[in-house]
Amino acid sequence: MKYTYMKYLLIFALTLSCYQSSYSKSFKCLADTATAGKTILDEDGKPVNAHGGGVLYYKGVYYFFGEIKKGNTWLVPDQHWEDYRVPAGGISCYSSTDLVHWKNRGVALKPTTNNPGYDIDTSRVIERPKVIYNKETKKFVMWMHIDKNDYKYSRGGVAVSDKPWGPYQYIGSVKPNNQMLRDMNLFKDDDGKAYLIYSSEDNNTMQICLLSNDYLKPTKHYSRILINKKRESPAIFKYSGKYYLITSGCSGWSPNAAAYAVADHIMGPWEEHGNPCKGPNADSSFYSQGGFVLQVANKPGSFIFMGDIWNKLDLEQSRYLWLPIRFVKGEIEIYN
């Protein structure tokens, strides 16, 4: 397995190198990546367990945070959608200097057990963790989706740490402006302001909310976007002065077609575009659900679309899909 994995790592490096050399539609290069439906292994040869995750780049190191999926998968009864779950395992952290070799930094946020009234108990839902650094408070701030198994709790949880890898201290959860928060992302702009982006209003509408200066609380400044579009799993990034937001449809754990929107200002208005995924299986986002876009450090214009290939019947066996994003005549494209 390690030899196969190293082969894919080499291909991935070549892909990024070729990607840098051309933005034209005639672009030809090796199209596979290290994580096109593959298991990522850490330095100990164990599978990386960091799903629905995001990456923080800090002082030359990438920190990859994600949900720990472990244990038997079960179906929540009496739900109108495929509500498969595993016990909430907390949030993991892995570090890398090259996006290839990953060191397991342990559990960044540990759940409690046998405490069903507490937000981060194993009986709850802890999803979509994202971390940013606050230069003023010198704290690393983690936001995540906190819920109960029926998804009616719908809150955003926040935790802080003095170190990027943790441990993180859980502060509590909130409904921003008394609105639902489900699938979410966290974005720090060039001016240091930070925003929550999340599915709200029973997943009918996406919302963007400015955070307080310490990044610990939502403010009353928010906007409603993609109204009545039924989108979730937002992945936001900024390039050449414009904001890009890739989302998925709402089909439970089953894959669907992605779509994206573009704005000159983060609060909008947002102009909707079609599916950025191109080629075979684009209508299922290559059997994945995106959740984060990583800007490669020190390589302007280099972005990686990060997704999960969910195994809904055995969530612990879910895989990853990371693919480069290309900019072609004002549009973004993702090929597998």
Side-chain angles (χ1 to χ4, degrees):
M1 176 180 276
K2 287 188 177 180
Y3 291 109
T4 301
Y5 179 63
M6 290 306 296
K7 176 189 76 173
Y8 280 107
L9 294 178
L10 177 59
I11 293 173
F12 181 52
L14 289 172
T15 300
L16 287 180
S17 176
C18 292
Y19 163 62
Q20 288 296 309
S21 68
S22 175
Y23 294 115
S24 72
K25 285 197 172 183
S26 61
F27 173 95
K28 302 282 185 183
C29 191
L30 295 170
D32 206 355
T33 76
T35 50
K38 304 298 177 181
T39 299
I40 306 174
L41 301 180
D42 65 19
E43 291 181 347
D44 297 321
K46 297 180 180 179
V48 168
N49 197 333
H51 303 280
V55 178
L56 164 74
Y57 183 74
Y58 179 74
K59 292 187 176 181
V61 180
Y62 297 95
Y63 294 93
F64 181 24
F65 300 89
E67 310 159 24
I68 298 173
K69 299 289 191 189
K70 192 172 184 179
N72 293 329
T73 299
W74 58 287
L75 182 63
V76 179
D78 302 320
Q79 297 297 296
H80 65 279
W81 64 288
E82 48 185 22
D83 191 0
Y84 290 98
R85 311 253 28 107
V86 293
I91 306 302
S92 60
C93 178
Y94 296 82
S95 64
S96 174
T97 57
D98 57 11
L99 296 176
V100 175
H101 303 91
W102 292 97
K103 179 180 180 180
N104 187 351
R105 306 305 293 259
V107 181
L109 180 69
K110 292 183 179 180
T112 62
T113 57
N114 301 316
N115 189 8
Y118 191 50
D119 277 354
I120 58 170
D121 190 71
T122 54
S123 63
R124 296 295 193 97
V125 174
I126 309 170
E127 293 183 332
R128 309 283 176 177
K130 307 294 184 291
V131 176
I132 54 176
Y133 179 64
N134 190 304
K135 291 182 179 179
E136 300 301 319
T137 64
K138 295 181 172 54
K139 296 287 186 180
F140 296 89
V141 180
M142 175 189 292
W143 279 86
M144 70 215 84
H145 169 211
I146 297 293
D147 226 317
K148 297 181 180 179
N149 286 321
D150 61 6
Y151 271 64
K152 293 181 180 179
Y153 194 56
S154 304
R155 298 169 73 92
V158 62
V160 296
S161 176
D162 294 324
K163 299 176 181 178
W165 55 85
Y168 283 77
Q169 178 184 359
Y170 187 70
I171 296 175
S173 65
V174 64
K175 284 192 172 184
N177 297 290
N178 203 30
Q179 301 288 319
M180 286 182 170
L181 182 151
R182 290 180 176 166
D183 279 7
M184 56 135 299
N185 216 309
L186 184 60
F187 179 74
K188 181 179 177 181
D189 211 341
D190 301 331
D191 59 4
K193 292 181 179 179
Y195 301 83
L196 283 175
I197 302 93
Y198 49 95
S199 294
S200 192
E201 302 171 38
D202 239 353
N203 285 13
N204 284 303
T205 298
M206 199 75 68
Q207 294 189 4
I208 300 176
C209 182
L210 174 68
L211 291 174
S212 56
N213 290 336
D214 58 9
Y215 304 164
L216 301 181
K217 297 179 290 294
T219 69
K220 294 183 179 180
H221 183 40
Y222 75 101
S223 62
R224 301 170 66 238
I225 67 170
L226 306 184
I227 297 171
N228 295 324
K229 296 299 182 180
K230 299 288 289 186
R231 308 301 297 178
E232 64 180 11
S233 197
I236 189 170
F237 67 103
K238 187 177 183 180
Y239 174 65
S240 193
K242 290 185 179 293
Y243 300 87
Y244 295 82
L245 179 65
I246 304 174
T247 60
S248 80
C250 298
S251 56
W253 296 100
S254 298
N256 56 63
Y260 77 99
V262 184
D264 293 322
H265 304 281
I266 191 167
M267 289 296 188
W270 287 80
E271 179 184 352
E272 296 179 48
H273 291 247
N275 188 353
C277 299
K278 307 297 180 183
N281 304 314
D283 58 350
S284 65
S285 304
F286 315 121
Y287 304 110
S288 78
Q289 182 185 40
F292 192 78
V293 172
L294 167 65
Q295 181 172 1
V296 181
N298 304 316
K299 290 187 178 180
S302 293
F303 296 88
I304 299 173
F305 174 75
M306 299 174 62
D308 293 89
I309 298 178
W310 298 115
N311 183 339
K312 63 185 178 184
L313 300 180
D314 189 353
L315 287 169
E316 186 175 346
Q317 297 303 315
S318 298
R319 301 291 185 253
Y320 307 91
L321 181 136
W322 294 7
L323 295 172
I325 295 175
R326 303 191 315 193
F327 299 86
V328 181
K329 296 182 179 179
E331 302 286 329
I332 64 172
E333 296 182 350
I334 303 169
Y335 287 86
N336 185 18

